Amino acid sequence: MSVDAYQPVEQMLHDRIGLEPAALGPKAIECAVAERMRLLGINTTASYAELAAASGREFAALIELVVVPETWFFRDREPFVFLADFIRSERQRFRAQDTLRILSAPCATGEEPYSIAMTCLDCGLDRGRFIVDAMDINEKFLTKARAAVYGRNSFRGNGPAFRGQYFNPEEQAYALKPEVRACVRFFKANIIDAGSLPPCAPYDIVFCRNLLIYLHDQARLKIIAVIDRLLAPGGLLFIGHVEATPPLMQIFENVNHQGAFALRKKKQTSCPGWPDGGITAAPNAPPENEIVRPSGQSGPAPEPAPTPLPRPPPASVISENIERANRLADGGFLKEAEEICKEILKNDAPNARAHFLLGLIREAQENNRGAEECFHRAIYLDAGFTEAILHLAALKEKNGDNSAAVLLRRRAAAINARNVRKK
């Protein structure tokens, strides 16, 4: 059957949940549609597309096959190590009148939000001092999450100690203890559709890991706008290995904790030109253009004086310098090439090409960590920079992080597929 036969279903997934079909790998959607057609006894993709468009239940069944959650308790570990450090450093505040509010979206079958809750309990927070909200678009995943009974695949690593502390053995599975289950509130919502979200006050922390990589550009912008409205200034955002993009970095800054993949929301942020996330302001929050004065009076926030930015050299000069650095690096003059790249970045910090070239130089110098940082910066600045994405994938694989390498290669394939369609 021709690839075009599946186009209506792909378009439906694109429009309703923001999915970039190419990000799933070749034939993922075709296989899911074929399986649903087989189970339902439908003979043509056109007939199936009509059914999926008309039936919310069938569309949910399709999503379940297309979006297979790969999750387990304390996945990647370091985000939870950093979460614990954050809670302990802020402990006095959360012991007092404030409640720590955390969101997991999407939450899949519940392993992530329950890991968050266990981390809070391990840090000594009483149940009344924190709230974990968890949302997902898939009702079947949520049903499993609420039941909180898990098989061995949800426990990876060498003898997780938390299992004996927080779970009860149950035949061939493990049931989460009620006191942990009570810490998490699950609800069905689509984060790309702000209207489906319940009213909620700003969160201190949002986990949104390994979602953005599967979405098209417009959907990413919508979700970033929603997260911006959900997350309090100074709050933390946990993302996947390779999901930092230029729009995210406009309002977030990196957290210095290796492997946590955490960003902190800047105190003063704005999202000009972004799609409206549709989230209403928290109750009792002052209008965005007002500030509360020490005297209790309010008034318009003063406009900060604009800071003049240094003017970068002309693009032609920058391009010539990058070519010169390239030639020097190819000739083995790594130090000289490195100095040129640094000089370029002094005057033109957002130059993705210069960061990428500096990453290649770092790699040739056997400074893999430095190379990885440079490739990440290049991708932050240019989300479609496939050459940087593939070099970062090779470096991740070399360092033994195969799961990150797979995600990066999928991302590069999705970008290439989009570019082919545009031609």
Side-chain angles (χ1 to χ4, degrees):
M1 191 174 293
S2 71
V3 174
D4 290 343
Y6 297 96
Q7 199 277 333
V9 177
E10 291 186 356
Q11 191 65 44
M12 199 185 313
L13 291 164
H14 178 284
D15 295 342
R16 293 191 186 180
I17 65 171
L19 187 69
E20 175 54 66
L24 298 173
K27 299 193 178 299
I29 292 176
E30 289 91 325
C31 291
V33 170
E35 176 64 11
R36 291 305 302 164
M37 288 172 62
R38 184 186 67 79
L39 291 171
L40 297 169
I42 295 175
N43 296 321
T44 68
T45 53
S47 298
Y48 178 77
E50 289 180 10
L51 174 64
S55 168
R57 180 174 295 180
E58 181 52 37
F59 186 66
L62 175 64
I63 292 173
E64 184 183 333
L65 283 179
V66 169
V67 184
V68 180
E70 177 69 7
T71 184
W72 56 92
F73 288 105
F74 295 98
R75 181 181 182 182
D76 298 327
R77 184 55 73 170
E78 284 306 313
F80 300 98
V81 172
F82 179 69
L83 173 63
D85 291 344
F86 172 81
I87 292 171
R88 291 186 182 108
S89 68
E90 299 281 334
R91 196 169 191 171
Q92 283 303 117
R93 182 163 74 86
F94 299 134
R95 272 183 169 174
Q97 60 188 19
D98 293 339
T99 299
L100 177 64
R101 299 177 56 83
I102 308 175
L103 174 67
S104 170
C107 66
T109 47
E111 286 91 336
E112 179 176 89
Y114 286 135
S115 297
I116 294 168
M118 285 184 271
T119 300
C120 292
L121 293 171
D122 284 343
C123 290
L125 285 184
D126 295 331
R127 275 175 46 192
R129 294 270 62 86
F130 70 93
I131 294 170
V132 181
D133 285 338
M135 71 161 134
D136 202 279
I137 194 174
N138 191 303
E139 188 61 54
K140 188 172 181 180
F141 294 164
L142 292 172
T143 299
K144 180 174 180 180
R146 292 185 184 106
V149 178
Y150 296 94
R152 292 185 180 277
N153 197 46
S154 294
F155 303 90
R156 305 188 191 181
N158 297 323
F162 68 88
R163 191 168 66 193
Q165 182 179 358
Y166 291 115
F167 290 81
N168 294 318
E170 189 175 283
E171 297 181 353
Q172 300 300 311
Y174 298 87
L176 191 63
K177 291 182 178 179
E179 56 266 31
V180 184
R181 290 172 57 186
C183 296
V184 183
R185 307 184 301 189
F186 291 97
F187 55 93
K188 183 178 181 180
N190 181 0
I191 193 170
I192 200 172
D193 176 14
S196 72
L197 304 180
C200 44
Y203 290 97
D204 300 288
I205 301 167
V206 171
F207 277 71
C208 185
R209 302 195 295 161
N210 303 315
L211 171 65
L212 298 178
I213 196 172
Y214 293 110
L215 305 180
H216 57 75
D217 292 341
Q218 191 67 9
R220 284 196 200 107
L221 289 177
K222 284 185 177 181
I223 289 177
I224 292 169
V226 170
I227 291 172
D228 180 45
R229 288 159 175 77
L230 287 173
L231 191 59
L236 295 177
L237 170 64
F238 289 87
I239 57 173
H241 296 73
V242 293
E243 294 185 313
T245 61
L248 265 178
M249 301 316 292
Q250 288 179 27
I251 57 173
F252 290 92
E253 54 196 8
N254 282 309
V255 164
N256 186 24
H257 184 108
Q258 185 72 21
F261 307 107
L263 306 173
R264 187 181 290 275
K265 184 176 174 181
K266 298 173 185 176
K267 297 291 184 182
Q268 298 295 330
T269 62
S270 60
C271 313
W274 287 13
D276 184 9
I279 301 296
T280 56
N284 304 320
E288 290 184 1
N289 65 342
E290 299 260 313
I291 57 172
V292 178
R293 309 287 185 190
S295 63
Q297 298 178 339
S298 62
E303 289 290 331
T307 303
L309 298 174
R311 181 172 295 181
S316 59
V317 174
I318 293 172
S319 181
E320 288 172 9
N321 286 338
I322 288 177
E323 286 303 316
R324 186 156 63 94
N326 246 322
R327 290 194 297 271
L328 285 168
D330 288 343
F333 298 97
L334 299 179
K335 189 64 179 173
E336 292 82 353
E338 179 182 4
E339 290 304 318
I340 292 173
C341 287
K342 287 180 178 178
E343 191 62 34
I344 292 169
L345 292 171
K346 275 184 189 177
N347 298 306
D348 186 23
N351 191 302
R353 196 82 204 169
H355 283 293
F356 171 65
L357 179 54
L358 190 57
L360 295 178
I361 293 167
R362 294 270 194 270
E363 193 172 8
Q365 294 169 333
E366 298 185 355
N367 179 1
N368 288 344
R369 184 169 179 176
E372 188 171 324
E373 290 175 357
C374 290
F375 293 148
H376 270 297
R377 288 194 188 103
I379 297 166
Y380 293 163
L381 295 164
D382 180 359
F385 199 159
T386 53
E387 197 174 358
I389 292 170
L390 290 172
H391 271 81
L392 182 58
L395 201 54
K396 292 282 189 185
E397 192 169 54
K398 182 177 178 181
N399 293 335
D401 194 348
N402 294 324
S403 62
V406 168
L407 286 173
L408 284 161
R409 291 196 174 99
R410 284 181 181 172
R411 178 174 174 179
I415 293 166
N416 288 332
R418 278 202 306 269
N419 292 338
V420 168
R421 287 174 188 161
K422 289 176 183 176
K423 290 181 180 178

